[in-house]
Each structure stands twice: as structure tokens, then as C-alpha cells.
Amino acid sequence: MRFLPALISGALIFAASSAFAESRVFIIANQADGYGIDQCLAKSDKCGASAARTYCQSRDFALASSYRRVDPDEITGSVPKSGTNCSHGRCDEYVAITCQR
């Protein structure tokens, strides 16, 4: 009779731990490399999925759940505002990649 409550408790603990999978958002500079990966990431195109996944895997995460362009105004205090990081009429763009274990 004690087996059933123990089984239910174990199942609930397992379900709760998988529901709280670790995720982390990385903000990186989206620099043009000549291959077009920067545009794939910034526009959330399918071609950026492999670059985002590789980025996450290089940091010991299993997959990239999302990636998108980020405005510098969305990043609090860590990125200079437009104009201070612009060179030759081109400002840096930033990409947020959400990685999960």
C-alpha cells in the first residue's frame, strides 16, 4: 500500500524537475562575418538555428530555444548607447540567444 504514494511522489518530483530545466540568455554582438550568419541570427531566420545551437553547445547547453535581434535599449547598462559604439556609419547589433540544458 505504501508503494502507490511513493510512486506518485516520485513521478511528481521528476515532472517538477524537468519543468524547471535550466535556461540562460546570452547577449552577443552580431558582427558581420561575410557569411551572412549575422543576418540569419538577427532576423530569426531558419539559417540561424544551427549557428545558435552551436553557440549554445559551445557553452555546454543542449539546444537553442530561441534567438533574435535585441535593441541596445533592451539591455540595461551593459551596452553603450547608439553613437558611442558606431564606426564608419555602422552601429553594432546585438542578438539574444536562449540556451537550455
Side-chain angles (χ1 to χ4, degrees):
M1 219 39 186
R2 292 183 186 183
F3 177 72
L4 185 59
L7 181 65
I8 292 172
S9 297
L12 289 174
I13 290 171
F14 179 74
S17 66
S18 64
F20 295 109
E22 183 182 357
S23 67
R24 184 171 174 190
V25 178
F26 294 93
I27 307 292
I28 58 171
N30 190 32
Q31 299 168 343
D33 57 4
Y35 294 102
I37 298 299
D38 56 321
Q39 292 302 315
C40 291
L41 287 169
K43 294 180 181 178
S44 297
D45 290 340
K46 287 185 180 182
C47 58
S50 62
R53 183 181 64 246
T54 301
Y55 184 87
C56 290
Q57 289 174 346
S58 72
R59 279 145 182 81
D60 296 328
F61 285 85
L63 59 97
S65 59
S66 68
Y67 52 95
R68 66 179 180 88
R69 183 182 170 278
V70 178
D71 289 327
D73 293 337
E74 291 181 63
I75 307 167
T76 57
S78 60
V79 176
K81 297 293 181 196
S82 296
T84 58
N85 61 341
C86 294
S87 61
H88 306 294
R90 180 185 162 107
C91 295
D92 290 336
E93 290 185 347
Y94 297 92
V95 174
I97 300 176
T98 305
C99 301
Q100 291 186 335
R101 292 204 194 270

